[in-house]
Amino acid sequence: MDPPIVSRLVGGALLACLLLVAGPAAGQAMGGMGAGMKETGPGGMWDDLTYDQSDQSVGISIYRKGVLPGYRQLTATRAGSPVAPGQTACANCHQRSGLGAREGQQTIPPLTAAALYAPKPGVRRAYTDETLAAAIRDGIDPDGRELSPLMPRYPMQPDELAGLIDYLKTLVARPSPGVVDSVIHLGTVVAEDVPPASRQAMLDVMQGYLNELNGGSASVSAEQSARPTAPTQGAASSMRWQLHVWTLSGTAQNRRSQLQAYYKQRPVFALVGGLSADTWLPVHQFCQQVKVPCLFPNTNVPVSGAAAFYTLYFDRGSVLKAQILARYFNDHAREFSAGRIVQILPGDWSGYEPAAALRQAIGNRGAASRRVTDLVLQPGARIPAEYWRQVLDPKGTGALVLWMDDPDLAGLAEVAGERDLPPIFLAANPYSGRLPASDPRLSGKLRFVSTLDPATPASARWAAWMRSHHLTQSEPLLQANTYFVMSLIDEAVKTNGGDFTSERLIERIEYSAGSVVPHPMLASLSLGMGQRFAVKGGYILTRADATGAVSALTDLVVP
């Protein structure tokens, strides 16, 4: 690219910066970019900011992780055979809350203090510390009878058993402060830079759903002042629901204090859905430390981490898309063996993270010699045709990758009328109402990296619900996501037996997501105990015509 031309583009305020590197130098540039992530807070590579300090105790380490003092692995036998390493933690069966579970026809009893230290008439006497130690170590109940062979036997030392028993005594029901006077308070987080139409599309579904639960009277608070919200009374059911909309402004670094202020004003039972184009890290960290469930936010920049119990995501966001795309390039190596792969990314974490992930995944698949070029744009910048004429080398560009939610394709369409373009891969949602209709000049060139399977039609139940509430499918995936999370928390509360603890809510949703409560548009969604990402793969899609019809170019790709 001719430097003077680039300089004029930068001088015209179109680009915040232009990073054009290739081969080993490109890897070094992204490596330097990644080195700064840990200090400022990326969208998902580091776990130290969400580390739960309570994991320092001996009992909690044994119960949740199966780890003994000195980082030794807890061992156990079941029916005389060793339990597999990593499967010995008590929480694997009895759950983090200690409230137990059901697996098929097998009931796993609770381990809370109230359950253990009280008699069960006709079953057993109350446990004492001594008899509980015998049950854990030898599988003998307080009456001297052998426990079920499914219960592992743990050959722990007396001090280790004492530490575990001390922790079990802390497993008591602590109702959420977000449930007060028969009112369930829910929150949802919306960043101020979210398009108003998307914000309203999500809130309309939430309000419609809560309106039903409240017997026809929605209760929504915008939470714009410090005045406490009074619980709404009345309704046919014993519980009422109220939604609090938490609007976050400024950069990710100053959003933590805003979240704390909202929560101080009105604690919530859970944060549901939510919208942000920036990193979800401030919300993720806040929920982990305050112990508030955060259920399926709509973000391309989620956070992953072993200590992150309280936040559930649809998927790994743009990182998953980058890994899917790397797998696609690898599977079609002949098509993409020549020419550069040019990544166009906004100059924020929504661009840095997937660009780094694509480069890493391509390198991990033995294709490190493939040239990858990264061009960083000012977020939201419009891109003229002249820019594309300089970027697109007719002999050297094998693919374009656009890491923007709302890509500007007008200039590309103009250039497409002059020359043949390489395949253009978009991370944008193919069903987004913000995406312009396909220009015939780009026909056959646009490919979408998506977790949506076009072969799975939207559920008739959801479509009927939208019609009955006079809601237009303006943002189908966003609205389907919102209906899904509202259905999930509705089901969880109906089946929680009156236990309004954060841990029980998470456990109910782990059990129900995708099975008891299906997603209207994502057939492959599922969760298991301890899993935090419900969708593990995706597709390469194409839009056939200006009507927005989408078809899959691949089978399900699981990186």
Side-chain angles (χ1 to χ4, degrees), residues 222-369:
E223 295 294 317
Q224 297 296 338
S225 70
R227 178 175 54 85
T229 303
T232 304
Q233 302 298 328
S237 64
S238 60
M239 303 296 295
R240 287 188 59 81
W241 302 71
Q242 184 165 1
L243 178 66
H244 304 266
V245 183
W246 295 358
T247 302
L248 300 184
S249 59
T251 63
Q253 282 77 6
N254 64 22
R255 291 179 177 178
R256 176 70 188 280
S257 61
Q258 298 172 48
L259 291 163
Q260 291 172 330
Y262 280 131
Y263 189 77
K264 182 179 180 180
Q265 172 185 334
R266 174 64 271 168
V268 294
F269 182 40
L271 293 178
V272 292
L275 270 170
S276 176
D278 203 347
T279 172
W280 200 253
L281 181 65
V283 186
H284 176 106
Q285 182 183 4
F286 167 80
C287 290
Q288 184 67 16
Q289 294 184 349
V290 182
K291 296 180 171 55
V292 171
C294 179
L295 309 177
F296 297 103
N298 297 279
T299 174
N300 285 328
V301 197
V303 183
S304 60
F309 176 80
Y310 291 95
T311 302
L312 306 178
Y313 295 102
F314 283 107
D315 54 51
R316 293 184 183 275
S318 55
V319 169
L320 174 62
K321 291 181 179 180
Q323 294 168 343
I324 292 169
L325 186 53
R327 175 73 177 270
Y328 181 78
F329 285 148
N330 183 69
D331 292 344
H332 297 78
R334 181 174 298 179
E335 180 181 356
F336 298 102
S337 59
R340 299 175 300 158
I341 294 175
V342 179
Q343 300 191 93
I344 310 295
L345 54 140
D348 55 26
W349 293 118
S350 68
Y352 296 154
E353 192 165 67
L358 179 66
R359 184 181 298 281
Q360 181 183 31
I362 286 177
N364 287 345
R365 294 187 177 278
S369 61

Side-chain angles (χ1 to χ4, degrees), residues 429-478:
N429 172 16
Y431 296 100
S432 172
R434 291 183 286 141
L435 199 65
S438 295
D439 191 297
R441 292 171 293 183
L442 296 176
S443 178
K445 295 299 182 181
L446 299 184
R447 303 181 186 182
F448 296 84
V449 189
S450 176
T451 55
L452 288 167
D453 180 0
T456 302
S459 73
R461 178 180 178 183
W462 171 66
W465 187 92
M466 292 285 289
R467 289 193 301 270
S468 69
H469 288 74
H470 309 290
L471 297 177
T472 303
Q473 294 185 29
S474 58
E475 296 272 357
L477 179 58
L478 171 61

